[in-house]
Amino acid sequence: MAIAFPGESADYRAARDRLLEQEIELRRAMEAVAGSRRALPPGGPVPQDYVFQGAGADGAPTSVRLSELFERGKNSLVIYSFMFPRDPGDNSPGPAIGKTAALPLEEGPCPSCTALLDQLDGAAEHARQHINFVVVAKTSLPRLLTFAEERGWRRLRLLSSATNTYNRDYHAETAEGFQRPMLNVFHRDPDTIRHFWASELLYAPTDDDQEPRHVGTIEPLWNLFDLTPEGRPSDWYEQLSY
């Protein structure tokens, strides 16, 4: 199907058609990668049934085991590790208002993680039709739930991992105790729960000045920038307020 837009030149159309071929190849490559991911052999069994802290039906804190995060008929569990506390080298401003604003900066939430979760809050209800999706953070449950309320998150399931070793075991925490924004996927087999996949690009070498983009395929904001003549800003990162 050949299309053209008002006022475009022959040079533009020729260049756009060449780019279209690249986009088609990218689409094919993305599907091939997804196919290879689905074809991974069984991952390692989860070493323990981690106990997280979450809000119960009445809002009171309650213990939740990893095995209890799997709903009936949904055998995949996606866990995003929210950097709360933030990386110690991140000096961007904290929240401007609210109880979270009173925390020391180094104990506050990561702005980039927050921006991603702003976007995933809208997608969470749709995602839950097919998979289990939760967000965990090393901070205490009261701090986590307070910030979620201040941020207006309504659909994310939020858990504290402050009392277990999940973050350390699944590379969302360094040996020094610094938090990392790892995304892990688990799958429930008939006999056990196994690790399936993780966003290991976070730790892989990058080309030139590229960011790791370990969750790049699910980041609407940065992909939106890629569609513009300006592209991704090289000297800008998400902030908690503007």
Side-chain angles (χ1 to χ4, degrees):
M1 173 182 175
I3 64 173
F5 292 94
E8 68 179 28
S9 66
D11 287 345
Y12 172 89
R13 177 45 46 194
R16 182 64 185 93
D17 287 345
R18 291 192 297 271
L19 176 60
L20 182 60
E21 290 300 318
Q22 290 180 282
E23 291 172 341
I24 292 170
E25 288 303 313
L26 176 61
R27 182 177 64 191
R28 290 170 178 163
M30 291 176 66
E31 181 52 38
V33 168
S36 295
R37 185 183 298 117
R38 293 190 296 269
L40 284 169
V46 173
Q48 59 178 289
D49 199 3
Y50 297 98
V51 179
F52 301 91
Q53 298 299 310
D58 59 354
T62 185
S63 295
V64 184
R65 294 187 176 275
L66 186 139
S67 60
E68 296 174 324
L69 299 176
F70 289 86
E71 295 182 3
R72 183 184 301 273
K74 301 174 187 176
N75 292 323
S76 288
L77 168 65
V78 178
I79 300 181
Y80 179 74
S81 292
F82 175 21
M83 292 173 63
F84 191 172
R86 63 171 63 194
D87 187 90
D90 183 357
N91 295 316
S92 56
I97 58 173
K99 292 182 179 180
T100 309
L103 294 177
L105 187 64
E106 65 273 13
E107 295 179 21
C110 166
S112 292
C113 288
T114 299
L116 177 61
L117 294 176
D118 284 344
Q119 297 161 84
L120 292 181
D121 182 60
E125 185 174 358
H126 303 286
R128 280 198 299 270
Q129 304 310 305
H130 297 281
I131 62 173
N132 305 287
F133 175 61
V134 302
V135 176
V136 305
K138 198 70 172 180
T139 195
S140 69
L141 182 64
R143 285 185 177 184
L144 180 59
L145 297 182
T146 294
F147 181 63
E149 182 178 359
E150 293 171 349
R151 201 69 192 177
W153 294 338
R154 298 187 295 111
R155 302 175 182 87
L156 294 172
R157 185 172 186 182
L158 301 159
L159 302 172
S160 170
S161 56
T163 59
N164 65 37
T165 62
Y166 169 81
N167 293 47
R168 178 69 60 85
D169 295 344
Y170 284 94
H171 299 284
E173 182 178 302
T174 69
E176 297 79 19
F178 304 151
Q179 301 306 297
R180 291 294 177 260
M182 201 71 167
L183 188 146
N184 282 282
V185 181
F186 300 86
H187 191 265
R188 180 175 58 184
D189 295 334
D191 57 338
T192 190
I193 297 171
R194 295 181 178 274
H195 185 250
F196 172 71
W197 178 87
S199 56
E200 295 179 36
L201 272 176
L202 179 62
Y203 293 102
T206 58
D207 297 324
D208 300 325
D209 59 349
Q210 290 180 359
E211 294 290 330
R213 303 188 189 187
H214 62 293
V215 290
T217 56
I218 64 170
E219 290 190 286
L221 174 64
W222 293 94
N223 285 303
L224 189 63
F225 288 151
D226 276 341
L227 302 180
T228 68
E230 296 81 9
R232 298 179 180 222
S234 60
D235 56 352
W236 177 90
Y237 291 95
E238 305 97 324
Q239 300 295 315
L240 293 171
S241 60
Y242 301 100

